[in-house]
């Protein structure tokens, strides 16, 4: 059997970090990373980015050494990706925070609204309904993280979790403060407005769950569609905010991490799953928000013309 020699250099300084002798030709990149870790324990495989060129793309863990454009002595360049954290841990942290933070405002724990309001409850049913909907949304997301989502990459940079949690936790606190405030007043159009918001909330939640299940079933574990499961094709929007829908999920689209390098093209699907028709998004005119009936008419008309 013809063995390979692999030398690993620092991508920035070109310093030789490791030399591996007698590496089998069918060895994968992840196996090379594991061998590299033995000499440099501080750089566990998830932190490593190995490349053929210092400024090139990262090699995939499943790439085989003999299939790479290298000779019997292969030179790979190493970059440290920084401390990593499991994607499952990231999602659980992002979603558990809003659930707990909202309940702190709902139960009016001390030092939020003043001592005379400590552990009091609102007299309006819509406030309690909002708490149920918000809690349902994040319990759903926690369960999906554990039992539905699949991840093409096992980890992400640890530093990103602080940005992600600031977004999720901050918006949860912002909504919860006003919805559960002692001076809160019910929506201007009463129960009809609340019922409309609840119907839209349930519709979005059902569509969101349907999309997650569909994406999970389209590709086996580790595929790019599994990675996309985290990002909503049907926005889960869902918080009943002062009697209307607060589309908080849409505001986080700028926080979506970039796709991993080297993602292969997706094959054509013979029978695509379309739980709901795809609607093109455009900002709603200001008059639409003025009345619930106008909103319903506008929504129905947009759906009709999108399907024609």
């Amino acid at each position: 059997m013809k063995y390979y020699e692999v030398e690993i250099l620092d991508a920035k300084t070109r310093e030789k970090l490791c030399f591996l002798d007698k590496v089998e030709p069918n060895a994968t990149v992840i196996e090379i990373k594991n061998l590299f870790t033995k000499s440099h324990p501080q750089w566990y495989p998830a932190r490593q980015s190995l490349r053929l060129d210092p400024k090139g793309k990262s090699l995939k863990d499943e790439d085989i050494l003999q299939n790479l454009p290298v000779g019997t002595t292969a030179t790979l360049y190493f970059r440290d990706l920084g401390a990593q954290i499991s994607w499952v841990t990231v999602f659980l942290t992002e979603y558990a925070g809003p659930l707990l933070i909202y309940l702190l405002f709902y139960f009016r724990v001390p030092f939020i609204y003043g001592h005379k309001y400590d552990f009091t409850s609102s007299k309006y049913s819509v406030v309690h309904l909002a708490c149920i909907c918000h809690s349902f949304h994040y319990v759903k997301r926690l369960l999906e993280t554990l039992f539905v989502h699949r991840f093409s990459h096992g980890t992400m940079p640890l530093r990103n979790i602080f940005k992600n949690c600031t977004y999720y936790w901050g918006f949860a606190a912002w909504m919860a403060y006003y919805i559960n405030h002692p001076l809160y007043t019910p929506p201007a159009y009463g129960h009809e407005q609340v019922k409309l918001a609840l119907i839209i909330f349930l519709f979005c939640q059902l569509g969101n769950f349907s999309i997650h299940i569909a994406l999970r079933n389209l590709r086996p574990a580790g595929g790019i569609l599994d990675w996309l499961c985290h990002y909503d094709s049907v926005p889960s929007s869902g918080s009943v905010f002062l009697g209307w829908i607060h589309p908080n999920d849409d505001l986080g689209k700028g926080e979506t991490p970039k796709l991993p390098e080297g993602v292969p093209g997706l094959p054509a699907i013979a029978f695509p799953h379309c739980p709901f028709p795809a609607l093109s998004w455009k900002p709603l005119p200001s008059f639409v928000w003025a009345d619930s009936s106008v909103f319903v008419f506008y929504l129905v008309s947009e759906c009709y013309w999108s399907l024609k």
Side-chain angles (χ1 to χ4, degrees), residues 81-266:
L81 298 177
Q84 302 288 302
I85 186 173
S86 163
W87 271 103
V88 174
T89 303
V90 171
F91 282 17
L92 293 178
T93 304
E94 287 178 355
Y95 301 150
L99 179 63
L100 297 176
I101 289 173
Y102 193 98
L103 293 177
L104 293 177
F105 287 88
Y106 175 74
F107 289 111
R108 295 177 180 173
V109 298
F111 311 110
I112 294 181
Y113 296 117
H115 292 297
K116 68 176 182 178
Y117 297 112
D118 291 349
F119 299 110
T120 58
S121 60
S122 175
K123 61 181 179 180
Y124 300 114
S125 60
V126 66
V127 174
H128 306 298
L129 178 62
C131 181
I132 293 173
C133 290
H134 187 276
S135 299
F136 171 81
H137 171 67
Y138 281 103
V139 168
K140 165 183 165 291
R141 287 207 164 225
L142 289 169
L143 293 176
E144 287 175 344
T145 298
L146 295 174
F147 302 110
V148 176
H149 293 323
R150 290 170 177 165
F151 305 94
S152 59
H153 280 206
T155 63
M156 65 169 273
L158 177 62
R159 62 183 179 272
N160 287 355
I161 194 174
F162 300 103
K163 177 177 61 176
N164 292 8
C165 286
T166 298
Y167 159 69
Y168 277 101
W169 296 15
F171 271 98
W174 177 68
M175 291 189 301
Y177 176 82
Y178 290 104
I179 296 173
N180 299 286
H181 199 282
L183 300 180
Y184 170 83
T185 55
Y189 292 93
H191 292 296
E192 296 304 319
Q193 189 173 352
V194 174
K195 290 178 181 178
L196 172 64
L198 179 60
I199 290 171
I200 299 176
F201 167 81
L202 295 175
F203 177 83
C204 289
Q205 293 293 306
L206 178 61
N208 178 250
F209 179 73
S210 174
I211 290 295
H212 286 178
I213 293 296
L215 290 176
R216 183 184 189 275
N217 294 334
L218 281 176
R219 292 283 293 272
I224 185 59
L225 286 179
D226 300 321
W227 180 89
L228 287 171
C229 240
H230 174 46
Y231 306 105
D232 304 333
S233 297
V234 176
S236 50
S237 297
S239 300
V240 178
F241 182 42
L242 306 182
W244 54 285
I245 292 297
H246 175 67
N248 54 308
D249 284 343
D250 287 344
L251 294 175
K253 287 181 177 177
E255 299 302 312
T256 303
K258 295 181 179 179
L259 287 172
E261 295 177 343
V263 172
L266 297 178

Side-chain angles (χ1 to χ4, degrees), residues 1-19:
M1 178 184 294
K2 181 182 67 173
Y3 290 98
Y4 282 71
E5 295 178 342
V6 178
E7 61 175 2
I8 301 177
L9 309 181
D10 188 289
K12 294 182 178 179
T13 64
R14 306 299 193 273
E15 174 189 357
K16 181 182 290 188
L17 300 175
C18 180
F19 181 82

